[in-house]
Amino acid sequence: MALYSEKVMDHFLNPRNVGVIENADGVGEVGNAKCGDIMKMYLKIDDDTISDVKFETFGCASAIASSSMATELIKGQKIQDAMKLTNKAVAEALDGLPDYKMHCSVLAEEAIKAALDDYYEKKGN
Ligand code: FES
């Protein structure tokens, strides 16, 4: 079996929603101390819905594919649903990741949660 699924390769080679949102409503940055990879998520939120999301990831192929897939999964979703996104769901949507690469998908979950925390902090609740 190939190391990466076709979906991982597709999202790695053609990542969706790469970039920065100026004046984002929430920004989350997380990193993995072991591998040194860093992921930053930007959210635009209107009416409790994620109307736009972009990311910058300085990391491995799995981290880039995970961020790309995660942005697709939460775009257009209500905040409450985006909050529930798990790294497992991201990995499943990518048709799986090798076991030793699962931590890369954890970064995507954490980055989204950090961005939502930032949003709530800015809003003051
Ligand atoms: Fe660090 Fe993938 S090896 S996020």
Side-chain angles (χ1 to χ4, degrees), residues 4 31-39 57-64 66 100-107:
Y4 290 123
N32 181 300
K34 265 199 194 148
C35 61
D37 292 354
I38 296 171
M39 193 181 287
T57 291
F58 304 94
C60 70
S62 303
I64 291 168
S66 295
Y100 72 101
K101 284 284 175 184
M102 280 306 278
H103 78 270
C104 316
S105 62
V106 172
L107 274 188

Side-chain angles (χ1 to χ4, degrees), residues 19-29 40-46 49-56 111-112 114-123:
V20 175
I21 297 178
E22 300 295 340
N23 300 319
D25 297 308
V27 180
E29 184 173 331
K40 201 163 176 181
M41 283 276 169
Y42 301 84
L43 302 176
K44 194 91 206 142
I45 295 172
D46 292 300
T49 301
I50 296 174
S51 53
D52 200 10
V53 47
K54 291 215 184 307
F55 78 91
E56 294 176 303
I112 289 168
L116 287 170
D117 283 349
D118 181 52
Y119 166 69
Y120 282 122
E121 231 166 77
K122 281 184 180 144
K123 249 181 66 175

Side-chain angles (χ1 to χ4, degrees), residues 43 45 48 50 70 73-75 77-87 89 108-121 125:
L43 302 176
I45 295 172
D48 281 348
I50 296 174
L73 290 173
I74 63 164
K75 204 170 185 173
Q77 288 223 330
K78 288 277 177 206
I79 295 177
Q80 301 89 299
D81 296 324
M83 210 47 155
K84 287 188 215 138
L85 183 74
T86 62
N87 77 297
E109 177 187 331
E110 288 178 351
I112 289 168
K113 289 188 173 147
L116 287 170
D117 283 349
D118 181 52
Y119 166 69
Y120 282 122
E121 231 166 77
N125 55 29

Side-chain angles (χ1 to χ4, degrees), residues 63-74:
I64 291 168
S66 295
S67 351
S68 169
M69 179 54 87
T71 59
E72 290 224 302
L73 290 173
I74 63 164

